[in-house]
Amino acid sequence: MRVEAERVTGVFPAEDLSRRTFRFETVLVLALSLGASGVSALISFVGSLTAPGPLSDHNANLNASAAPGRPWLDLAWQLFGIATALVPVALVAYLLLREHSSLRALGFDRTRPWFDLGRGVLIAAGIGSIGLAFYLAAQGVGANLTVVPESLPDVWWKFPVLILSAAQNAVLEEVVVVGYLLRRLGQLGWTPMASLAASAVLRGSYHLYQGVGGFIGNMAMGVVFVYLYRRWGRVGPLVAAHTLLDVGAFVGFALLAGKVGWLPTG
């Protein structure tokens, strides 16, 4: 009866799933999400590196208009992009369900909202100022492109979309790169240090489009995030912190660009 139920529902205990299965599914999840982003970022970085002029003369544009001059179509494309970027998270949820688990096992749920938010605020406050200083220094010495966090038109949906984009980045990255990847690498027999290195390097890789500074800074952030995840057993605080960091970057740039002299605008 158990075998028949598993065949019908597609749900299997973790001990019945081989390492080969875990290895194959991990490669697929990364190939459909942030692993592919890492390859794309590398190609983009090589293009910037081989173009005339220092890296700081080139821009890395985020949250750009998808249909200039057509705000409703633009909004549709923005929401479509945000929604489809979260499909890998849904895939991770399904893969966990298959082994009688869920995203709750990664600490991504609503059981401790104030804990997650409180820790997230503290993390964002600490990392945000250091990260901004590091970016300005890297951009100043020509090791980073000029990051343009947003170039959306001044329409009513601009700030809501920027906030949704920030939340989408946070959920995707922390669920996949920290919670899911560390779980799977542990099941594959990786040591804690090797898993930490893999997660941190992956995080740095898909930020390489920003330049060497983006790679190093985000890799360092990845080390901190893995440490905190292992300490708390939850990705919730990391999602909260990452959301706040990106909201600060996206919305802050929209409000300050061209109004302060210390912020590069490309």
Side-chain angles (χ1 to χ4, degrees):
M1 291 295 293
R2 176 189 173 193
V3 172
E4 179 63 19
E6 290 171 351
R7 185 187 68 78
V8 173
T9 64
V11 178
F12 300 85
E15 61 270 18
D16 290 350
L17 299 171
S18 68
R19 286 190 176 186
R20 181 179 180 183
T21 300
F22 283 146
R23 189 178 300 112
F24 183 65
E25 74 163 44
T26 302
V27 170
L28 282 180
V29 169
L30 295 181
L32 290 170
S33 58
L34 295 164
S37 297
V39 176
S40 174
L42 175 61
I43 295 171
S44 177
F45 175 66
V46 171
S48 299
L49 199 61
T50 55
L55 287 176
S56 56
D57 285 351
H58 303 281
N59 294 341
N61 295 297
L62 313 177
N63 298 299
S65 175
R70 306 182 68 184
W72 285 103
L73 182 62
D74 200 350
L75 174 60
W77 278 118
Q78 299 294 335
L79 296 178
F80 174 78
I82 290 169
T84 54
L86 290 173
V87 171
V89 177
L91 176 59
V92 165
Y94 168 75
L95 293 172
L96 292 174
L97 178 64
R98 188 183 57 173
E99 56 181 284
H100 290 300
S101 187
S102 69
L103 291 175
R104 178 172 292 185
L106 309 181
F108 187 60
D109 53 38
R110 295 177 293 177
T111 59
R112 304 181 68 186
W114 296 113
F115 176 91
D116 293 345
L117 181 59
R119 297 301 189 279
V121 169
L122 293 176
I123 299 168
I127 290 181
S129 55
I130 297 172
L132 177 59
F134 184 79
Y135 160 68
L136 293 175
Q139 199 270 345
V141 300
N144 225 60
L145 285 75
T146 298
V147 178
V148 181
E150 72 84 24
S151 55
L152 295 174
D154 290 324
V155 290
W156 66 269
W157 48 259
K158 175 176 181 173
F159 290 107
V161 161
L162 291 176
I163 293 171
L164 287 174
S165 178
Q168 171 255 297
N169 289 340
V171 172
L172 174 64
E173 293 185 35
E174 306 317 326
V175 169
V176 173
V177 178
V178 178
Y180 171 77
L181 184 61
L182 292 181
R183 180 183 177 90
R184 282 294 182 260
L185 293 182
Q187 291 167 323
L188 289 170
W190 287 45
T191 66
M193 186 59 68
S195 299
L196 181 151
S199 177
V201 170
L202 176 59
R203 186 186 296 268
S205 73
Y206 57 77
H207 287 96
L208 190 57
Y209 68 90
Q210 299 177 7
V212 177
F215 174 77
I216 295 175
N218 281 279
M219 191 165 61
M221 176 177 161
V223 171
V224 174
F225 273 29
V226 168
Y227 170 79
L228 294 175
Y229 173 68
R230 286 175 172 165
R231 181 180 177 88
W232 296 327
R234 296 185 59 78
V235 298
L238 309 183
V239 171
H242 195 150
T243 300
L244 292 172
L245 288 169
D246 279 9
V247 168
F250 299 166
V251 175
F253 184 88
L255 296 175
L256 297 177
K259 298 177 182 177
V260 293
W262 52 265
L263 182 63
T265 57

